Every structure is written in C-alpha cells, then in structure tokens.
C-alpha cells in the first residue's frame, strides 16, 4: 500500500517536497511548462522579443525571463546555485564558464549538440566555440561574440600618408609616428590604461600562454609576454598613446571627433555607438580594421569573448530548455538578435544576413573572429586580468620598471 500510495500521491503532496518543486508543479498543473531564462543587461531586455516567437511555436510553454544588471549577474548566479534556485537556461559570459563547471552547475551538452539539426560546431568561429569546452566537454553554446578590432579616423590617417592599417607591429608603430607628426591628431591612439584587454591581446599575439603550471602561475615574465609588454608600454613612453583611463575621458566620441586621438581598440558595441554618437559630417571619416600582429596577418589575433547559453544541471525541464537554446541559435534568431541588440552572432550562417554582409565596418570583425584565441580557462581569470592592467599602468606611469611589473604579475 505504501508503494501504491507513493505512486498516486496528489500534486499538492508532491509540491510540498521543496520550493523549487512547488514552482515546477504549479507551472505544470494546467499542462503548461514554465522555463526560467536569466539574461543580463540589454540582452535580457531584447531577448524577450525572441521568446514570444518561441512561445508561439510551443503554446504549452511559458518562458519567464529575468533581466539582471551586469553588475549583479555574477553574484546572482552564484547565489542561485547555492540556494538551489538556478534557472533552466542562462546567459553566461564565456570567461565565467570554468567557474561554474568547477561547481558542477552546468549540464554537459555534447550528446545534445551531436543530435541537433540546428547547432553545429563547424558553423561557429573555432576560437569562440573553444571557450565553451573544458577537458574535452562542451558546456555552452555561443550566443553572441565579442572581440576587439581597431577603429580609426581614415581622414587623419590619409592626411598623414597612411592609406591602410599595416599588418605588423613595426609598420603600425611607424604609422602612429606619422599620424602624431602630420595628421593634426594630438595622439595616435587611445588605449585606456584601466582596461586589461589591450596588454593581454598583445601578449597573446606574441605567443604568450599568459599562465603556466596548469593555470596556477603567471607566464608574464616569459620572453613572449615580455616582448608584448615592452611594445605596449613604449607606445605611452613615446607619447603615441594617450596616458588616460576611461574615467578620465569625459566623452570618448567627442574626443575622437575633435582629434585627440586617431585610433582606438574597442569592441562591436561601438559599431552602433559611433553611428549614433559621432556627428553626421564624421560618418564618412571612420573605419575599422583587424588588429596588426608582430608578424603580420596570422599573428594579429584578438581575444575570444562574448556570452553563451548554458543549461543548468538542476533544470527539471532539460528537453524543453534545450529546445529554447536551439531556437535562440537559429540563424534567423541570431540575425534578429543582432538587429535588436547590436551583438554580433557566433555563426557563419547568421553572418550571411544582409544586415551584416552589407556592412563594411562589420567585416573587420568577421575577419578578426576567424583569428581569436580563448582566454585562460581558469575560475580566477577576472582577478588575473585586473592585475594585468593595474601593474601595466604602474609601469606606464613610471612607478615600476617593466621587469618589476612582470614579476609582480607572475605571483
């Protein structure tokens, strides 16, 4: 009788097991499945437009989107895991994936990807896909991509006799000298000293592994990163780069227009910002280019950034949650997401959409995304990255020698 009673226990008794189960039962009582999706910042707002289409395709499903500010996202995810209130699906910055894999919070996805007719590894930029793979296991599906390229004042470069961005560091530095001398720009380039991306990217371009001994120690004193660090710091010492951080720049778009600097390493969000924030008369005077490297095109790598969609192990609706991930991964969905958010899609298929294929300034990103490298897959990466720019700034401002800064980074 006990076994029979357990088999036919009422929905109310079943829902009393736990708060999470109560939510699941409440959503299923009328035959409707509720999925919880956590997304951050602007993405959390615009994804709701796409979710409505998913719900139309699946009338028995309701997706509850929780929009979370980026500043609170990491803590919210950790709190949700500890409190056993994680969502079914979440947006996860790809540098956060190692941390949540270490917590055993994420569902491995390889079997689902293998059987999917929508999600194909070969359709994704290899360096971006690699950010989702740890020890040969895939834990996330790229949702949108982020990397860095060079934005520049084409009119000022032409005035200095520079008709295109050189593909080597030596050629680039020579071009910067010409720009500083002859273009009318006060500085050749703005490399915000409170950002870690630029020195880290230069290190990757020089062939540095950044970390060693299974990610437990820095490799910053090694010859590769040392070469890149010298190149980076010397740009400031030669007055080619403006020694300032973002917080010291009242309005980067106004200063770019004014000619305080002629080049700027930045990300895809600025494709839209430059269109909206630069004056009309400037719209024919700026372009984008892939980053130069120490040895030419093949060495001009950049960082593989962006966000992925992950499935939490605790989800009680994994099959339907996976369908949601597949829906958001369709080329049509990705193209629409780009139109809504400005976030670049991670698949070659989506890049064939006319909104991207016919955008000449986006092409630099398409080229760059084919030569991006993942950042070290360690849970502590963000602390390492913060130290990278802190010690670099000390060297730039003369408070430390290059060697002292690199030794401090290795600890």
């Amino acid at each position: 009788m006990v076994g029979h009673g357990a088999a036919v226990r009422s929905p109310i008794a079943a829902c009393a097991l736990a708060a999470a189960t109560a939510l699941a039962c409440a959503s299923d009582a009328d035959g409707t499945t509720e999925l919880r999706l956590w997304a951050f910042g602007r993405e959390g707002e615009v994804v709701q437009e796409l979710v409505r289409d998913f719900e139309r395709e699946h009338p028995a499903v309701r997706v509850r989107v929780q929009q979370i500010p980026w500043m609170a996202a990491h803590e919210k995810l950790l709190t949700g895991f500890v409190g056993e209130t994680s969502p079914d699906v979440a947006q996860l910055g790809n540098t956060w994936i190692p941390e949540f894999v270490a917590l055993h919070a994420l569902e491995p996805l390889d079997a689902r990807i293998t059987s999917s007719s929508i999600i194909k590894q070969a359709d994704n930029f290899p360096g971006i896909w690699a950010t989702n793979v740890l020890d040969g296991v895939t834990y996330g599906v790229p949702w949108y991509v982020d990397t860095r390229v060079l934005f520049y004042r084409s009119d000022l470069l032409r005035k200095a006799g520079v008709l295109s961005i050189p593909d080597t560091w030596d050629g680039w530095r020579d071009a910067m000298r010409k720009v500083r001398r002859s273009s009318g720009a006060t500085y050749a380039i703005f490399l915000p000293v409170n950002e870690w991306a630029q020195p880290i990217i230069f290190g990757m371009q020089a062939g540095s592994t950044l970390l060693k001994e299974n990610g437990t120690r820095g490799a910053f004193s090694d010859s590769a990163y040392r070469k890149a660090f010298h190149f980076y710091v010397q740009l400031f010492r030669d007055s080619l780069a403006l020694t300032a951080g973002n917080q010291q720049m009242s309005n980067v778009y106004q200063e770019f227009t004014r000619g305080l600097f002629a080049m700027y390493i930045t990300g895809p969000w600025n494709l839209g910002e430059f269109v909206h924030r630069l004056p009309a008369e400037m719209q024919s005077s700026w372009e984008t280019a892939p980053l130069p490297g120490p040895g030419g095109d093949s060495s001009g790598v950049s960082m593989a950034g962006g966000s992925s969609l992950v499935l939490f192990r605790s989800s009680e609706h994994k099959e339907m949650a996976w369908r949601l991930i597949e829906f958001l991964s369709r080329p049509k969905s990705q193209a629409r997401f780009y139109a809504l958010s400005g976030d670049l899609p991670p698949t070659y298929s989506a890049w064939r959409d006319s909104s991207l294929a016919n955008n000449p300034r986006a092409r630099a990103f398409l080229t760059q995304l084919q030569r991006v490298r993942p950042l070290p897959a360690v849970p502590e990466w963000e602390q390492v990255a913060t130290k990278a720019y802190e010690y670099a700034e000390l060297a730039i401002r003369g408070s430390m020698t290059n060697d002292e800064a690199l030794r401090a980074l290795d600890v």
Side-chain angles (χ1 to χ4, degrees):
M1 291 295 294
V2 173
H4 178 72
V8 298
R9 64 190 177 192
S10 70
I12 294 175
C15 286
L17 290 175
T21 308
L23 285 172
C25 291
S27 67
D28 290 342
D30 61 354
T32 299
T33 298
E34 181 180 88
L35 296 178
R36 291 181 299 142
L37 168 63
W38 289 2
F40 312 133
R42 172 70 174 158
E43 288 77 16
E45 178 183 343
V46 301
V47 74
Q48 300 188 57
E49 295 289 323
L50 301 180
V51 159
R52 293 190 188 103
D53 291 339
F54 178 79
E55 290 175 336
R56 278 191 282 271
E57 287 188 14
H58 301 85
V61 177
R62 293 292 175 268
V63 181
R64 181 154 59 92
V65 179
Q66 184 167 358
Q67 181 187 12
I68 302 166
W70 266 110
M71 292 295 291
H74 187 262
E75 182 179 354
K76 176 74 172 178
L77 287 162
L78 287 176
T79 302
F81 172 74
V82 172
E84 300 183 349
T85 58
S86 295
D88 299 284
V89 177
Q91 170 188 356
L92 203 63
N94 55 25
T95 58
W96 295 353
I97 287 178
E99 179 179 5
F100 285 87
V101 169
L103 293 171
H104 302 287
L106 305 183
E107 180 80 3
L109 300 177
D110 291 284
R112 298 178 191 276
I113 291 168
T114 298
S115 61
S116 177
S117 62
I118 297 171
I119 298 170
K120 301 296 181 184
Q121 179 178 346
D123 194 30
N124 285 258
F125 299 108
I128 300 293
W129 185 272
T131 64
N132 294 274
V133 181
L134 278 80
D135 298 324
V137 180
T138 308
Y139 291 96
V141 173
W143 190 26
Y144 66 84
V145 295
D146 177 21
T147 192
R148 301 293 187 272
V149 303
L150 191 67
F151 286 57
Y152 65 97
R153 285 279 301 270
S154 52
D155 58 337
L156 295 182
L157 267 64
R158 281 195 302 271
K159 186 176 179 181
V162 179
L163 303 183
S164 62
I165 299 297
D167 62 3
T168 65
W169 281 358
D170 287 344
W172 189 27
R173 185 165 40 206
D174 287 344
M176 289 190 213
R177 292 187 180 118
K178 291 177 181 177
V179 167
R180 179 82 197 280
R181 184 171 60 245
S182 307
S183 74
T186 308
Y187 293 91
I189 193 166
F190 178 41
L191 302 169
V193 295
N194 63 330
E195 289 184 1
W196 57 263
Q198 291 87 344
I200 290 294
I201 288 171
F202 292 147
M204 295 166 71
Q205 291 183 338
S208 174
T209 60
L210 304 178
L211 302 179
K212 59 185 178 181
E213 297 178 19
N214 295 319
T216 60
R217 293 182 60 81
F220 299 101
S221 291
D222 292 356
S223 59
Y225 197 87
R226 182 182 300 276
K227 174 184 177 181
F229 195 75
H230 176 77
F231 171 76
Y232 172 68
V233 172
Q234 200 64 37
L235 295 176
F236 295 91
R237 293 179 179 167
D238 291 344
S239 298
L240 298 174
L242 169 65
T243 304
N246 288 309
Q247 74 278 9
Q248 296 163 289
M249 186 72 64
S250 58
N251 188 310
V252 69
Y253 309 103
Q254 288 180 2
E255 298 299 349
F256 185 72
T257 299
R258 191 168 66 87
L260 180 62
F261 53 91
M263 304 181 217
Y264 180 31
I265 294 178
T266 186
W269 63 89
N270 265 324
L271 286 172
E273 292 297 314
F274 272 47
V275 169
H276 294 122
R277 292 176 179 261
L278 298 186
E281 61 271 19
M282 273 290 298
Q283 292 304 321
S284 61
S285 299
W286 67 276
E287 296 180 26
T288 59
L291 295 179
D297 281 348
S298 61
S299 62
V301 301
S302 193
M303 53 175 265
S307 282
S308 299
L309 295 170
V310 298
L311 176 60
F312 277 83
R313 286 181 185 265
S314 58
S315 171
E316 296 186 354
H317 302 292
K318 289 188 177 69
E319 293 306 316
M320 190 54 70
W322 176 248
R323 290 190 195 180
L324 175 60
I325 291 176
E326 286 189 310
F327 174 84
L328 294 173
S329 300
R330 292 177 187 175
K332 183 178 179 181
S333 297
Q334 291 181 348
R336 187 170 176 218
F337 188 61
Y338 164 69
L340 291 168
S341 67
D343 292 329
L344 298 178
T347 63
Y348 295 105
S349 297
W351 275 83
R352 297 187 190 108
D353 184 88
S354 60
S355 61
L356 280 164
N358 297 333
N359 183 343
R361 288 167 177 151
R363 287 180 200 143
F365 284 96
L366 178 59
T367 300
Q368 192 70 70
L369 285 164
Q370 296 173 73
R371 51 177 196 249
V372 293
R373 277 182 50 192
L375 296 163
V378 295
E380 304 83 5
W381 172 250
E382 298 214 4
Q383 295 98 295
V384 174
T386 299
K387 293 296 183 183
Y389 82 72
E390 289 178 346
Y391 285 115
E393 184 174 2
L394 290 172
I396 288 165
R397 296 187 184 278
S399 300
M400 274 186 168
T401 67
N402 286 5
D403 285 347
E404 288 170 341
L406 294 173
R407 282 197 298 270
L409 266 175
D410 278 344
V411 176

